[in-house]
Amino acid sequence: MLVGCHVSISGSIDKAVDNAVERKCSAFQIFTRNPRGWHAKELTDPDVKNFKEKLSANKIDRFATCAHMPYLPNLSSPKEDGFEKSVSSLIGEVERCGKLGIPYLVTHLGSHLGTGEEAGIKRLVKGLTKAGQVKNDVMILLENTAGQKNSVGSDFAQLGEIFRQLKPEKKFGICLDTCHAFVSGYDLRTEKNVKETFKEFEKHVGMENLKILHLNDAKGEIGCNLDRHYHIGLGSIGKEGMTAVIKFISKKKIPIILETPIDDTRDDFENVKIVKELA
Ligand code: ZN
Ligand code: MN
Ligand code: MN
């Protein structure tokens, strides 16, 4: 199975690989830069070289790596300047991933800020389509949302609708977050629930489009729309549901990435280990 967690690039980008190896990850996710600002420092040739060399030295398949977009961009923004900045940022990240050989870039779908879903989706599709023009082999993955106020894409039918508007097809895929799905109302607590939820996903989005799974248990109850991740098996989804998801996804060789908290209960080392045990 391919499993790992989000790792820090603090120090230099190749440190991410060390952090992943230390945590016994066969897959991992990074921010290619500080996620809290708009500015991205250029990647230097040594940055790229060191990252790639460490990946191959540790036999980590680049197709088990992904990057996540920074926090500030809002691709559904009705504000012209905010939207333009967000699209530039997305294009920048697609280019950075291309340099690093990272094949997948996970993005949130943004907030329409009260202008309505239709308006938000129109902006979103426009922005994604523009970034889809970048000529490299990086695929932009749309992540399902927790269904917070003014967000789009928590509902699989709507996610599929957005996805099918995007061209060229080979530039786009999906990242499914189990916490987000659960708090949006998709039950994952039993093996039967998991089967049914993935059947819904297959019907509206298609399993062949699922490139990365964000495996997170949920702090909140089903349908609460609260985006709070929790330790694997200890949240509202629980051990049975998490186990069923892990088994189903690892059979398909889709990389499993944890975005679980680090606190007194557990750290990333332990959550990665637990996933392997549950498998
Ligand atoms: Zn995310
Ligand atoms: Mn996620
Ligand atoms: Mn989340």
Side-chain angles (χ1 to χ4, degrees), residues 92-105:
E93 287 303 312
V94 172
E95 287 168 346
R96 292 165 72 82
C97 286
K99 281 186 191 159
L100 293 164
I102 295 174
Y104 306 120
L105 173 64

Side-chain angles (χ1 to χ4, degrees), residues 1-265:
M1 73 185 303
L2 296 168
V3 61
C5 57
H6 186 101
V7 289
S8 166
I9 61 160
S10 178
S12 58
I13 202 147
D14 60 289
K15 286 275 181 359
V17 185
D18 299 330
N19 290 330
V21 169
E22 246 182 74
R23 287 159 182 76
K24 306 217 167 17
C25 300
S26 47
F28 66 87
Q29 173 176 278
I30 58 168
F31 290 118
T32 74
R33 57 164 182 104
N34 173 11
R36 287 178 184 82
W38 284 104
H39 178 72
K41 211 175 78 194
E42 276 294 321
L43 285 167
T44 65
D45 290 343
D47 286 338
V48 172
K49 185 167 168 273
N50 293 341
F51 180 79
K52 288 184 171 176
E53 278 180 3
K54 258 187 200 167
L55 267 191
S56 62
N58 289 288
K59 297 191 171 59
I60 296 182
D61 185 353
R62 75 179 186 101
F63 285 98
T65 69
C66 64
H68 196 291
M69 275 290 284
Y71 298 128
L72 298 181
N74 176 8
L75 295 167
S76 297
S77 176
K79 299 178 189 161
E80 206 54 55
D81 57 332
F83 177 72
E84 292 299 333
K85 256 169 106 172
S86 299
V87 177
S88 303
S89 171
L90 179 62
I91 290 172
E93 287 303 312
V94 172
E95 287 168 346
R96 292 165 72 82
C97 286
K99 281 186 191 159
L100 293 164
I102 295 174
Y104 306 120
L105 173 64
V106 178
T107 182
H108 292 173
L109 305 184
S111 166
H112 59 68
L113 304 176
T115 54
E117 290 187 352
E118 202 184 320
I121 291 171
K122 231 174 140 180
R123 297 290 257 188
L124 176 64
V125 169
K126 188 178 157 194
L128 288 168
T129 303
K130 194 157 178 218
Q133 305 304 305
V134 176
K135 296 273 178 289
N136 63 21
D137 71 351
V138 178
M139 204 185 248
I140 300 168
L141 305 187
L142 281 53
E143 180 174 10
N144 66 310
T145 47
Q148 308 95 310
K149 191 167 181 259
N150 297 339
S151 70
V152 295
S154 64
D155 179 73
F156 292 169
Q158 191 181 58
L159 185 64
E161 234 172 77
I162 296 166
F163 181 68
R164 277 186 293 277
Q165 294 181 52
L166 302 171
K167 301 265 147 37
E169 266 172 57
K170 62 173 196 313
K171 288 295 284 184
F172 298 96
I174 301 286
C175 166
L176 184 74
D177 186 305
T178 54
C179 168
H180 299 174
F182 184 72
V183 299
S184 299
Y186 294 98
D187 207 344
L188 292 165
R189 286 174 289 195
T190 67
E191 202 184 323
K192 187 165 167 275
N193 295 152
V194 169
K195 258 195 196 138
E196 284 164 357
T197 290
F198 277 102
K199 219 172 134 189
E200 273 293 293
F201 182 85
E202 166 65 18
K203 181 176 156 200
H204 295 290
V205 185
M207 278 306 288
E208 73 280 9
N209 297 313
L210 181 61
K211 304 301 176 188
I212 294 283
L213 184 90
H214 279 172
L215 186 81
N216 300 306
D217 209 325
K219 185 90 186 167
E221 288 307 319
I222 184 165
C224 72
N225 300 125
L226 186 71
D227 187 6
R228 288 274 301 279
H229 302 181
Y230 206 57
H231 302 294
I232 305 304
L234 302 183
S236 305
I237 299 176
K239 203 169 158 183
E240 183 187 342
M242 286 278 107
T243 304
V245 173
I246 294 163
K247 287 188 170 160
F248 180 74
I249 292 298
S250 56
K251 230 185 281 167
K252 298 189 182 304
K253 299 271 183 290
I254 296 167
I256 296 174
I257 305 289
L258 308 182
E259 300 173 314
T260 39
I262 297 170
D263 57 25
D264 293 343
T265 307

